Amino acid sequence: MTVRAYVAIGANLGDARAAVLHAIADLDTLPETRVVARSSLYRSAPVDATGPDFINAVVELETGLEPEPLLRELQRLELGAGRERPYRNAPRTLDLDLLYHGDVTMATEALALPHPRIAERAFVLLPLAEIAPGRVTQAQLRQVADQRIERL
């Protein structure tokens, strides 16, 4: 059985655009998983972070992986892209956040679903609204309207 999952992708070190595009291709190769939709690319200012602007996107996956195995695959891809975590919200070569996994609601030490900060971030809400408009409300978009973001 498969579910629809949504993953936010971001990078702001090195060739961030290439890293995001490469991550989209890599997500399509995960076991029991395929990319069924992808947003445009967006450039956004860091939120609660430092460093250069981010390149962001959101993808919709159809996956047979359960949430935690999918998270492990996402973390494997981050490591493969050179992701380091020297401190919270450090600049990064690749960031993959599992936003939704079907209708699963959970909170463990490793994973919270839905992602707890979706509604705080334009760089998640705008690309998510592009591919899954039913998941984002106009009120949510108004709340992040002051965050600098542009569709590329």
Side-chain angles (χ1 to χ4, degrees), residues 122-140:
F123 65 82
V124 172
L125 289 174
L126 269 68
L128 181 61
E130 183 182 329
I131 62 170
R135 294 242 179 216
V136 179
T137 67
Q138 289 302 312
Q140 288 174 313

Side-chain angles (χ1 to χ4, degrees), residues 2-152:
T2 61
V3 300
R4 296 296 169 115
Y6 295 87
V7 175
I9 307 168
N12 75 333
L13 290 179
D15 187 343
R17 182 186 195 107
V20 169
L21 293 172
H22 190 72
I24 293 169
D26 285 347
L27 288 166
D28 205 36
T29 68
L30 295 181
E32 303 176 58
T33 302
R34 69 184 182 98
V35 173
V36 295
R38 64 162 273 208
S39 73
S40 301
L41 298 181
Y42 291 77
R43 175 179 288 115
S44 65
V47 175
D48 298 329
T50 59
D53 284 354
F54 277 84
I55 302 298
N56 302 98
V58 170
V59 296
E60 179 180 1
L61 304 176
E62 184 176 274
T63 186
L65 296 175
E66 293 295 321
E68 288 177 336
L70 179 56
L71 176 65
R72 285 192 294 275
E73 289 292 332
L74 299 179
Q75 291 170 337
R76 182 182 61 77
L77 293 177
E78 287 176 338
L79 286 173
R83 171 78 188 260
E84 295 178 358
R85 298 173 192 267
Y87 54 90
R88 183 172 167 75
N89 295 326
R92 56 208 70 163
T93 54
L94 183 63
D95 187 28
L96 299 171
D97 286 333
L98 184 55
L99 303 174
Y100 295 102
H101 189 283
D103 293 323
V104 170
T105 300
M106 64 184 285
T108 67
E109 191 172 309
L111 179 61
L113 289 172
H115 192 288
R117 290 177 298 283
I118 292 170
E120 300 170 13
R121 297 173 170 168
F123 65 82
V124 172
L125 289 174
L126 269 68
L128 181 61
E130 183 182 329
I131 62 170
R135 294 242 179 216
V136 179
T137 67
Q138 289 302 312
Q140 288 174 313
L141 292 173
R142 282 192 299 276
Q143 282 190 290
V144 298
D146 63 333
Q147 294 177 23
R148 184 172 58 81
I149 185 168
E150 70 175 300
R151 187 175 175 176
L152 300 178

